[in-house]
Amino acid sequence: MDLARTEVAAPRRRYAARLGLMALPVAFFGVFFAYPVAAIVARGLQVDGAWQFGRIADVLAQPDIRHVLWFTTWQALASTALTLLVALPGAYVFARFDFPGKQVLRAVVTVPFVLPTVVVGTAFLALVGRGGLLDELWGVRLDTTVWAILLAHVFFNYAVVVRTVGGLWAQLDPRQEEAARMLGASRWTAWRTVTLPALGPAVAAATLMVFLFTFTSFGVVQILGGPTFSTLEVEIYRQTSEIFDLSTAAVLTLVQFAAVGAILAVHAWTVRRRESALRLVDAGQTARRPRGAGQWALLAGVLATVVVLLLLPLAVLVQRSLGAPGFGYYRALTSADGGVFLVPPIEAIGNSLEYAVVATLIAVAVGGLAAAALTRRDAGRFVRGFDALLMLPLGVSAVTVGFGFLIALDEPPLDLRATWILVPLAQALVGVPFVVRTMLPVLRAVDHRLREAAAVLGASPWRVWREVDLPMVRRALLISAGFAFAVSLGEFGATVFIARPDHPTLPVAVAKLLGRAGQLNYGQAMALSTVLMVVCAVALLVLERLRGADRTGEF
């Protein structure tokens, strides 16, 4: 009888323990994400306590708003298609070819992805904007055209396709395609009928991720789009901070929320297919030296694309930051100008590092507990639903979250508006999904029988985690912390509202300097962007060392 009771109670205890692990993540997202977003939406759609749902139809009927919706969708589709066209050859090269410097090049390719969007916009402004490299050499400017935005999005998302598709491609058994060739199929037919269907889930996942990032683009469009082009995110910022029309901003937030929810639902379905439908081999067995003129030409073409599309904008950014003699723009960062900043701009470096460290600690604690709760694949619907909700901060307007912080967190017991902790809290919201997505596959790979054996021997849940899980996930924990640090360092959409003037962050400082006329302000923006780029690149190189040469396919 006692044994039967124990067998019945064990699943209940495991489920209760899982819910206990979820308590902090649920509370964190409820207070610092759902509550601020709901508060600003309610503020915009309520008049004298009454909901004005008719306002939704009124806003969507406005021609300028419909143009914003159309441009947001159109540029996201165009950016996604262009990114796939440019990056898929790179995914194949990294998956199937072995060549000197491959690991270094892999890190270089990933640098743009971890760069703040403000830096990306600044780099392309230095390349294609007024007085940029193309303007100086050939009199060509693209900052007044949509091409600047599209190219910047390809620059930013190139690594998403290379990592997601290339990581899976490297693990597909090439003997399957070779068998089709031996049965008489042409190279194209074998690839189309064997390899492409296997790559389908990864291509779909990469496509959805790129579309999500470009659909919610803010920093790139804010800098390169000017008054001509505006996405939903930029329009929400304009309606909130410039026009003070919270009603329109609330409607646009709901529209973006619905669109992102649909994208994430499709993404979750795609990921489940990817996890269950494939049988893979060791990635180290599939890469080989290029053979024949065609393969060497493909490798050369990919290298040329990396140099022109990825390295050239960053090189121009550095060159512009050195435009004044004797590192003049960097030296100018040490003095306050009495205009935009109350402190010398260089203090933004220390502020950003301090905020990012605190945000990383919060993201690792919250994301680690959430990943531990989601470890079991037989979790209930509530747990699986929470897995999808964890991704929402990546797509929901950061502008809405930041302004929501100011509206919702200004009364006891959550009167945080005048405190410094608001900035790392907002940054941690973006870092948590990266922590979960990095740690979850590793935690699921741990043999559950090891945990059960430790529990049978009398170990507490904390000791089971310390003795069984932690040694196996230590590297994943460090990698997730690195990603959380990098994305926290570059968060801009929410921070621009809540960073205090005497404690600006690097992205906020760069945007404010770009918003002011004058060569000195422009040069200081380039210098700060270069500093931010170097810090992010160093963090990424550390991640590559931790990841190891053979770990591919996951961000």
Side-chain angles (χ1 to χ4, degrees):
M1 180 67 70
D2 291 338
L3 180 59
R5 291 177 179 175
T6 301
E7 291 177 350
V8 172
R12 295 177 180 175
R13 287 198 301 268
R14 287 196 296 268
Y15 192 73
R18 190 178 298 117
L19 292 179
L21 291 172
M22 291 178 59
L24 178 61
V26 169
F28 178 78
F29 274 84
V31 173
F32 298 113
F33 178 69
Y35 177 46
V37 171
I40 192 171
V41 171
R43 180 73 64 91
L45 294 182
Q46 281 186 333
V47 178
D48 297 329
W51 288 94
Q52 304 293 321
F53 290 109
R55 179 60 178 161
I56 297 177
D58 294 340
V59 170
L60 296 181
Q62 298 175 17
D64 56 336
I65 296 299
R66 284 156 55 183
H67 176 73
V68 169
L69 293 173
W70 164 246
F71 177 76
T72 301
T73 305
W74 177 88
Q75 65 82 26
L77 290 171
S79 297
T80 302
L82 191 59
T83 302
L84 290 173
L85 180 66
V86 173
L88 281 176
Y92 175 78
V93 165
F94 279 101
R96 295 302 197 199
F97 291 170
D98 186 20
F99 52 90
K102 180 178 178 179
Q103 294 304 320
V104 175
L105 189 63
R106 188 192 302 276
V108 169
V109 165
T110 314
V111 165
F113 179 74
V114 300
L115 285 181
T117 55
V118 171
V119 174
V120 175
T122 306
F124 272 82
L125 194 65
L127 179 63
V128 304
R130 180 188 299 273
L133 181 63
L134 296 184
D135 192 15
E136 290 181 353
L137 294 179
W138 300 295
V140 175
R141 289 181 54 194
L142 298 177
D143 59 326
T144 56
T145 71
V146 73
W147 280 105
I149 296 174
L150 298 182
L151 291 175
H153 283 161
V154 175
F155 169 92
F156 185 77
N157 293 294
Y158 185 91
V160 175
V161 178
V162 169
R163 290 279 188 165
T164 305
V165 180
L168 179 61
W169 209 334
Q171 294 177 278
L172 293 181
D173 192 345
R175 292 174 294 184
Q176 297 177 359
E177 188 173 326
E178 293 170 359
R181 296 284 308 281
M182 293 179 63
L183 293 174
S186 65
R187 184 182 297 275
W188 162 250
T189 301
W191 184 84
R192 180 175 54 83
T193 58
V194 178
T195 304
L196 183 59
L199 287 176
V203 173
T207 300
L208 288 168
M209 289 172 66
V210 173
F211 184 84
L212 175 64
F213 292 143
T214 53
F215 186 83
T216 58
S217 182
F218 176 56
V220 167
V221 181
Q222 176 78 354
I223 292 175
L224 296 176
T228 307
F229 303 108
S230 179
T231 58
L232 266 175
E233 188 85 355
V234 174
E235 187 64 21
I236 291 171
Y237 174 78
R238 191 175 74 88
Q239 295 288 341
T240 302
S241 63
E242 297 177 9
I243 303 178
F244 303 107
D245 186 350
L246 291 186
S247 177
T248 300
V251 172
L252 296 181
T253 297
L254 291 176
V255 171
Q256 184 166 327
F257 188 86
V260 168
I263 295 170
L264 291 178
V266 178
H267 179 266
W269 174 77
T270 303
V271 169
R272 283 197 299 271
R273 284 189 57 202
R274 179 182 173 186
E275 289 180 346
S276 61
L278 301 175
R279 296 297 181 267
L280 309 177
V281 299
D282 185 359
Q285 300 175 1
T286 62
R288 54 178 172 76
R289 299 276 292 182
R291 292 181 296 191
Q295 293 187 355
W296 281 107
L298 177 60
L299 176 59
V302 169
L303 293 177
T305 300
V306 171
V307 170
V308 173
L309 181 64
L310 305 185
L311 295 184
L312 183 59
L314 301 180
V316 173
L317 177 66
V318 175
Q319 184 267 333
R320 289 290 187 270
S321 73
L322 299 173
F327 298 94
Y329 295 141
Y330 289 92
R331 287 189 287 105
L333 297 176
T334 61
S335 62
D337 60 6
V340 174
F341 302 107
L342 301 178
V343 296
I346 198 171
E347 292 193 12
I349 300 174
N351 296 335
S352 289
L353 292 175
E354 292 174 1
Y355 287 144
V357 168
V358 177
T360 300
L361 295 176
I362 297 173
V364 169
V366 175
L369 289 174
L374 296 169
T375 298
R376 292 293 296 271
R377 296 180 183 272
D378 60 347
R381 290 183 179 179
F382 176 72
V383 178
R384 290 196 299 270
F386 184 65
D387 186 13
L389 290 176
L390 290 172
M391 294 290 290
L392 282 178
L394 293 181
V396 173
S397 171
V399 171
T400 300
V401 174
F403 198 68
F405 270 29
L406 296 182
I407 291 177
L409 305 180
D410 64 341
E411 296 179 357
L414 289 174
D415 187 4
L416 305 176
R417 189 162 61 177
T419 65
W420 63 271
I421 194 65
L422 272 186
V423 174
L425 285 172
Q427 294 173 343
L429 280 172
V430 183
V432 168
F434 286 91
V435 174
V436 174
R437 295 272 75 82
T438 302
M439 293 188 62
L440 191 56
V442 181
L443 284 170
R444 282 178 173 169
V446 178
D447 192 341
H448 67 91
R449 291 172 296 183
L450 296 176
R451 300 189 185 100
E452 294 174 353
V456 169
L457 293 174
S460 64
W462 163 246
R463 188 172 182 182
V464 171
W465 161 256
R466 189 179 73 245
E467 301 292 343
V468 177
D469 292 80
L470 184 59
M472 297 184 181
V473 303
R474 183 179 290 113
R475 185 167 65 171
L477 186 65
L478 293 173
I479 291 173
S480 64
F483 271 121
F485 179 82
V487 298
S488 299
L489 198 65
E491 205 288 321
F492 174 63
T495 308
V496 70
F497 280 97
I498 57 181
R500 302 204 308 257
D502 58 339
H503 281 80
T505 63
L506 278 170
V508 172
V510 170
K512 288 186 178 297
L513 286 168
L514 286 175
R516 301 186 68 192
Q519 185 63 32
L520 180 60
N521 292 317
Y522 177 82
Q524 289 183 88
M526 297 294 160
L528 276 181
S529 296
T530 301
V531 171
L532 188 51
M533 177 187 69
V534 170
V535 174
C536 290
V538 170
L540 180 64
L541 290 174
V542 172
L543 292 184
E544 285 295 322
R545 293 289 300 272
L546 292 173
R547 185 184 298 273
D550 293 330
R551 291 184 62 84
T552 58
E554 298 289 346
F555 271 99

